[in-house]
Amino acid sequence: MKTGNLLLVSIGAIMMKNELRNFFKKYSEVLKDRYDITELNVNDWRYANNTYFLGDSWSLYSLTFEDDCVSLNNEDGGTITTFEWSDELNKLMNFIHDKNDELHKIFPDFTTDIDDWELFDWETWANINGSQIIQFCKGDMVAIMSYTYPDEYPQFITTINWSDSDE
């Protein structure tokens, strides 16, 4: 394997672990309480063919990432349940993780609770319990806006230069 190919494999592994980390962040309580999955360290999970599994062998559970969901599978590969998941949600979670400090400077009451965010329009997320809007624009620009629902249109505040580490 050439050095360039090894670098691409390493970057791919990091990107996949970011998505798994985000999935665990959103669904950790459900996984622990309902399915008794307590191994939520991304480094303990291995990846093959869109599926994460624990350790070096097939374990009791695996997670398969599909187009708009993640399937929790049993040891035979049968689906136990599915969780809502999307590339857009993963992108929002990466942005909030990467720019958390900067977002708190703009909005002191900024929420990182992903359940408080709703996909309003393509590439636009609105905080359903607050007044913040995050809109992913062309290139590496992300627009940050404020609104008072339903009384006014969003007011532009600033842009943040950011590139999604998962793309």
Side-chain angles (χ1 to χ4, degrees):
M1 181 179 290
K2 294 181 180 179
T3 305
N5 291 342
L6 181 60
L7 178 62
L8 287 176
V9 169
S10 297
I11 290 170
I14 290 169
M15 290 187 298
M16 289 181 289
K17 287 190 178 195
N18 282 343
E19 185 169 37
L20 185 61
R21 176 203 62 195
N22 288 339
F23 177 77
F24 284 160
K25 192 180 292 182
K26 177 155 177 56
Y27 290 109
S28 64
E29 295 304 315
V30 173
L31 291 168
K32 289 176 186 175
D33 296 344
R34 193 174 299 160
Y35 300 102
D36 199 30
I37 299 174
T38 57
E39 298 293 330
L40 300 180
N41 179 346
V42 296
N43 294 322
D44 294 338
W45 291 74
R46 304 293 176 251
Y47 179 82
N49 300 324
N50 291 342
T51 301
Y52 292 92
F53 55 95
L54 273 167
D56 294 326
S57 61
W58 196 258
S59 60
L60 182 58
Y61 294 114
S62 65
L63 297 166
T64 302
F65 282 72
E66 300 174 46
D67 290 333
D68 59 353
C69 68
V70 174
S71 298
L72 174 65
N73 310 305
N74 61 22
E75 61 190 330
D76 298 328
T79 300
I80 296 169
T81 192
T82 58
F83 298 92
E84 191 175 308
W85 190 252
S86 68
D87 291 338
E88 292 86 3
L89 178 61
N90 189 56
K91 185 176 185 176
L92 175 68
M93 292 181 79
N94 283 339
F95 176 73
I96 290 173
H97 178 265
D98 292 349
K99 297 297 184 177
N100 187 35
D101 292 342
E102 195 170 342
L103 291 165
H104 277 290
K105 287 177 186 171
I106 298 167
F107 298 111
D109 62 340
F110 183 81
T111 179
T112 59
D113 185 349
I114 204 65
D115 292 329
D116 288 343
W117 290 89
E118 183 176 280
L119 188 60
F120 176 72
D121 195 7
W122 188 79
E123 297 288 335
T124 303
W125 290 86
N127 179 334
I128 58 176
N129 295 320
S131 62
Q132 302 100 23
I133 292 179
I134 295 173
Q135 183 176 45
F136 295 96
C137 305
K138 289 186 177 191
D140 294 340
M141 284 294 142
V142 180
I144 307 300
M145 295 174 269
S146 177
Y147 72 99
T148 304
Y149 183 77
D151 299 334
E152 65 181 53
Y153 290 102
Q155 295 178 337
F156 174 79
I157 295 176
T158 190
T159 58
I160 297 175
N161 191 11
W162 177 77
S163 176
D164 189 2
S165 59
D166 274 7
E167 288 187 339

